[in-house]
Amino acid sequence: MKALPEPLKARRAMRDTLLAAILTAMEDGDVFFVTADFGSPVLDLIRERYPQRFINVGIAEQNLINVSAGLALEGFKVFAYAIAPFITMRCFEQIRVNLALLSSVRPMNVSLIGVGAGYSYVVSGPTHQCYEDLTLMRSLPNMQVFSPADQITAELLARACLTRPGIKYLRLDAQVVRPLYEPELHNLNDGFKVHGNSHELCLVATGFMTHTALKAAAHLAKLGLNLSVIDLFDLTHFDTNALLEHLRTARRIVSLEEGFQGCGGLDSLLFNLLSRHAVTAPFLNIGVAPHYRFELGDRQTLHEQVGIGLHTVIEKIQRFCPALPS
Amino acid sequence: MHEYDPALAERLREKADWVWQETLRIHQRAPETRVASSLSPVEIFVTLYYGGFLRQNPADPRWHERDRCIISKGHGSLCMYPILADLGYFPASELERVCLEGSFLGAIPDPVIPGYETINGSLGHGIGVGAGMALALKRRAMDQKVYVVCGDGELHEGANWEAFMFAAQHQLDNLIVLVDNNQICMLGATDSIVSHRDLRAKLTAFGWQVQVVDQGHSCECIAQALATSQRANNGVPQAVIFNTRKGNGVPGLENAPLSHVTPIAPNVLAQLLEAKR
């Protein structure tokens, strides 16, 4: 088997590591890859090596889902691949009916790979940016929702998708991010990773915002506030007790997401969890102000404008902890 | 492969008549069912299920070697309930409980019913899912067919046309779409809403081989068309447009523009069933 070309090894985005894992997995004749005319260099290798199990349905996400469902009903393990807002919203009813509903009564293994979490398609505007997908996918019973923060997690999740039955949504960032984990030491079982051990404030983030959370924690530590950061990459099947164990010890809890604030994403997940288990620590939710915007700028600038930039996050946390020097 | 047999044609006619009556009886007990759109495909289903076209095993509805039949116009397939019960997919006593608490037979069928493959309460999903199944069967070198029975109204959904293009591109000649072309939607004639104009020409332009059966209630004509589709094996997906009558055989309902959710008046139902005795 030919190794990956060197340039692909260097600066790898989540989709590159994930697709490389799928490329290896395609040796299993039961794995099928379906794309809605969305590519990447690694995908070219899949297409070249496995033409019988690689299908491009064209710019047709509804059919992407329907064909994937049909393949899965016949026993194939299917990866369906497209830009995040399109694979979740253009075809939401196909996902609801032919994956979420149907998987209640039929065994299926379908993994939806959506690339372009949050603002990661920085200059492409709100059609290509994606702030609603976690909410929508979470709303569907049976759907397993993953939001990795780095390439390593994305790669491990791709492998896990093959052995976990059911239907899944993987939300990937389109940009190259700093690797956070060592593959050998990274265990997906809990559904989250804890950084730091402070009880002052627990900052729960997901996806790209885990990086912002870690930077905010480093900055605030210098000001005398120690945070623990939780990277919640599995939004549906995390170990509830293990997560609660961390949250119960925190004097304050903050959620941080690259999705609309108060609209059913990570903040709602945490709010429900904390309420249900009578965790009464003060809770602050930081997310994208729920408006569509057309301004251009780099990702950090856009993030500051919508309320989730590093500086804004630091300010919000400082206000949330009034005892702190600002 | 299917061989045409005149004696079989007569049996299919008798069976279709029985299914028509049973469908009315179910509607008599459960008036919330959509009876008009369930009367247009009676002969299509009867020919498919009793005419030797469909490899099936009622004792094992998920039998690996079965031909797949997706009933895309789910709401308009009440007539499948007596057919499936008669063939042994489930006990006939279940027909007494349609729409009642605890029954698996609702006004719109779901795949909790033995014999139903997929979910089709929402329209326009069957052809795409069927295309995926047909592709999978090809890749597994299985010769099973995938039949999809749809209505003409549901072809308004754009996802169908994504699937039509896809099936032609991938030469899915094992995918056979049967259009119950009763030409009436919920609010009137399909032509008066958004016309398909020349559906045959349209599907042909999409790369399908198309037959039109004007006598869509003749089991004999249906059987001939199905046999032709089955034999194709030419790399071209197959469609048959059956021109049918919504509410077939029910005065006041047949071809009535607003028949979709109209129940049949109890006295009319009683008279119709009495006349068949």
Side-chain angles (χ1 to χ4, degrees), chain B residues 35-74:
Chain B
V35 69
S37 50
S38 297
L39 293 177
S40 53
V42 167
E43 290 79 7
I44 299 171
F45 284 125
V46 164
T47 310
L48 194 56
Y49 277 80
Y50 293 95
F53 291 100
L54 206 65
R55 281 168 286 187
Q56 56 182 326
N57 182 0
D60 179 10
R62 309 285 304 149
W63 177 47
H64 191 55
E65 308 291 319
R66 75 193 183 286
D67 290 317
R68 282 65 168 155
C69 181
I70 294 180
I71 300 166
S72 195
K73 53 169 292 181

Side-chain angles (χ1 to χ4, degrees), chain B residues 102-150:
Chain B
S103 171
F104 55 76
L105 300 171
I108 293 177
D110 280 314
V112 292
I113 302 171
Y116 273 85
E117 295 277 350
T118 53
I119 296 187
N120 299 104
S122 173
L123 295 173
H125 290 284
I127 298 172
V129 175
M133 293 166 86
L135 178 69
L137 292 169
K138 286 260 180 200
R139 291 294 185 265
R140 296 210 189 278
M142 291 171 67
D143 71 349
Q144 275 64 23
K145 307 280 186 191
V146 180
Y147 293 89
V148 181
V149 180
C150 67

